[in-house]
Amino acid sequence: MYVDRDGVVHFTNAPTASENDYRVYVKEKKVYSSQVYSPQSFENYIRQASNLYGIAFPLLKAIIKAESDFDPRAVSKKGAKGLMQIMPENFKRLGLKDPFDPKQNINAGARYFKQMYERFKGKVSLSLAAYNAGPTAVDQYKTIPPYEETEEYVKRVLKYYYNYKNL
């Protein structure tokens, strides 16, 4: 807000006069979505990608659970987007135009996981570690990299995978 020379008070969220004339009047609080997304909402897309890329349905579902908890609008602190938390630098290579479109995101993420799975000769734990930390880190250590985040990620996905597989 600012008060002009005639004493008129102006309120805006997009100042037009000199920035020095304005002062914060009300600060908005960030609104967090309390929406809970159902895994069933995306099962058709997960099944399609599972069949297309030859990845076990419960494994693909477990990756999505660990990555975004089925929130198609998820954005990580590092900038990964969508259900499968794909980094923007991978969009073009994976043919991803809209990271928040569930079908596109699941297909792109499944394609990327399949690449990791083939690169690490079918070793699920190493493929998951590469999906999380990048293949270079897995190549460097020749095992799951000793990063707490990656170690926890692999355990979490495998736990979800086991649970989904046994439903």
Side-chain angles (χ1 to χ4, degrees):
M1 71 161 276
Y2 88 98
V3 181
D4 69 18
R5 66 177 172 241
D6 297 325
V8 178
V9 180
H10 299 265
F11 296 93
T12 183
N13 65 342
T16 54
S18 164
E19 290 290 325
N20 296 331
D21 294 340
Y22 285 87
R23 66 181 178 84
V24 175
Y25 181 74
V26 174
K27 223 176 191 181
E28 293 181 36
K29 288 186 177 184
K30 236 182 182 180
V31 178
Y32 295 95
S33 172
S34 61
Q35 186 166 357
V36 175
Y37 295 92
S38 165
Q40 287 73 30
S41 304
F42 309 108
E43 286 202 351
N44 191 35
Y45 297 143
I46 298 168
R47 195 163 308 284
Q48 288 172 2
S50 167
N51 293 334
L52 183 62
Y53 294 104
I55 301 166
F57 173 83
L59 178 57
L60 198 51
K61 190 172 176 179
I63 294 168
I64 295 169
K65 170 72 175 162
E67 288 290 347
S68 67
D69 200 21
F70 300 99
D71 179 356
R73 308 287 312 160
V75 179
S76 77
K77 292 175 189 164
K78 294 179 182 176
K81 296 180 179 178
L83 287 165
M84 294 196 71
Q85 292 292 278
I86 300 169
M87 293 298 288
E89 59 266 23
N90 293 322
F91 290 176
K92 188 173 184 178
R93 185 168 54 87
L94 295 171
L96 182 58
K97 289 181 174 59
D98 179 0
F100 300 116
D101 176 275
K103 184 175 183 177
Q104 284 185 42
N105 191 283
I106 291 169
N107 275 324
R111 183 179 308 124
Y112 184 67
F113 180 77
K114 179 67 172 194
Q115 291 168 0
M116 297 303 100
Y117 188 77
E118 288 173 349
R119 181 172 177 160
F120 295 101
K121 302 186 181 1
K123 295 179 179 152
V124 174
S125 292
L126 292 183
S127 304
L128 290 169
Y131 190 93
N132 179 263
T136 307
V138 176
D139 286 337
Q140 178 185 347
Y141 291 99
K142 309 275 189 262
T143 187
I144 297 170
Y147 311 148
E148 186 177 350
E149 176 191 327
T150 302
E151 292 170 340
E152 289 303 314
Y153 172 80
V154 171
K155 286 179 196 170
R156 194 167 59 252
V157 173
L158 292 175
K159 179 184 84 174
Y160 294 144
Y161 177 40
Y162 177 81
N163 289 339
Y164 290 140
K165 201 164 75 167
N166 293 305
L167 286 178

